[in-house]
Amino acid sequence: MEIELSYTWPIIPKYKVCEHDKYGIRQNHYVLFKQRAHSGFDITADYGTEVKSIARGKVICTGFDGTTSEGLDQFNMGYGNRIEILNDDGRRCVYGHLSEIFVKDGDYVDNNTVIGKTGCTGGSRVPHLHIEIRKENTEKTGLDYTINPLEILPEFDFSKLTLEFTEEPYAQLWKKMNSPTNPWEFSEGDVWYRENKEYIR
Ligand SMILES: [Zn+2]
């Protein structure tokens, strides 16, 4: 028997949605500057915003994950700190780029259980939550294995959002590049279009 679950938003969207936030094919990936599939939906948020579970389920995985749909990628660094929850309807849900994680494997969560806080870990330039819903309980990502979260989450009127995220868009990326633990083999000068605001995320 298929279970019908009620889904709720993990955070309330506050900032304008741009092309790069959407599920599907991205013309210019926010770190890689090339065409790439985006298997989730990105919600830009203030750093440290509480993230809630979108449905009832069980935590199956937490911690840092640098893998992407193309495997481990030292450049992109993937989801960063993430939580994976197996929702009671059999779908696996991934919450990425977190700054803090409050749950552990085996924990049961419900709608609105606070599971962590938004951050900018992994392949991320501005603080945002990557929310990914997989059709079933699989480790595989990519458009074949996921659904557009907007098809599952309650309807939300994005046209009413007028706030732009104002933090210097590349601040987080520069911070990573200039840190002693820079995970990439390139520096600030190697990134093209760094003045172009269209490449914010
Ligand atoms: Zn994303």
Side-chain angles (χ1 to χ4, degrees):
M1 190 185 75
E2 202 168 286
I3 302 169
E4 272 283 327
L5 268 194
S6 93
Y7 278 79
T8 46
W9 282 83
I11 55 179
I12 303 301
K14 176 176 169 187
Y15 298 103
K16 273 178 159 178
V17 170
C18 78
E19 268 319 295
H20 287 206
D21 297 335
K22 295 174 185 169
Y23 176 88
I25 298 292
R26 276 169 163 166
Q27 291 309 318
N28 281 287
H29 186 268
Y30 55 102
V31 172
L32 302 175
F33 303 110
K34 65 181 184 184
Q35 195 185 76
R36 259 233 180 151
H38 186 220
S39 305
F41 182 76
D42 291 343
I43 312 168
T44 301
D46 299 318
Y47 194 94
T49 302
E50 285 187 343
V51 175
K52 295 167 175 176
S53 172
I54 62 172
R56 206 172 58 226
K58 185 183 173 186
V59 178
I60 52 173
C61 209
T62 63
F64 191 89
D65 182 7
T67 46
T68 68
S69 48
E70 290 161 18
L72 181 66
D73 187 332
Q74 291 296 327
F75 182 23
N76 183 355
M77 301 297 281
Y79 300 106
N81 294 325
R82 58 79 171 89
I83 296 169
E84 299 190 16
I85 292 176
L86 178 58
N87 295 343
D88 281 358
D89 59 5
R91 293 173 176 137
R92 192 196 283 217
C93 185
V94 186
Y95 305 76
H97 312 302
L98 303 169
S99 60
E100 287 184 70
I101 291 174
F102 299 142
V103 290
K104 56 183 192 318
D105 291 12
D107 283 355
Y108 284 94
V109 296
D110 213 328
N111 292 75
N112 299 320
T113 302
V114 175
I115 56 173
K117 284 188 175 179
T118 57
C120 198
T121 55
S124 177
R125 270 190 196 165
V126 296
H128 76 277
L129 175 69
H130 169 94
I131 186 89
E132 177 170 329
I133 303 173
R134 299 192 183 145
K135 291 173 187 168
E136 46 192 73
N137 184 14
T138 175
E139 290 183 4
K140 290 180 180 155
T141 182
L143 302 186
D144 290 344
Y145 301 99
T146 54
I147 16 181
N148 185 346
L150 298 188
E151 287 174 18
I152 304 279
L153 293 168
E155 227 170 280
F156 187 88
D157 182 10
F158 289 98
S159 68
K160 73 180 181 191
L161 299 177
T162 52
L163 269 183
E164 298 261 13
F165 191 79
T166 51
E167 189 176 322
E168 201 284 298
Y170 293 91
Q172 294 295 334
L173 187 64
W174 298 159
K175 217 167 115 187
K176 272 188 189 179
M177 282 182 190
N178 296 322
S179 81
T181 55
N182 176 1
W184 308 306
E185 291 173 356
F186 67 91
S187 60
E188 194 172 330
D190 298 327
V191 179
W192 22 296
Y193 292 124
R194 62 186 196 275
E195 305 305 331
N196 188 334
K197 299 293 184 208
E198 282 179 31
Y199 292 86
I200 280 176
R201 322 204 213 315

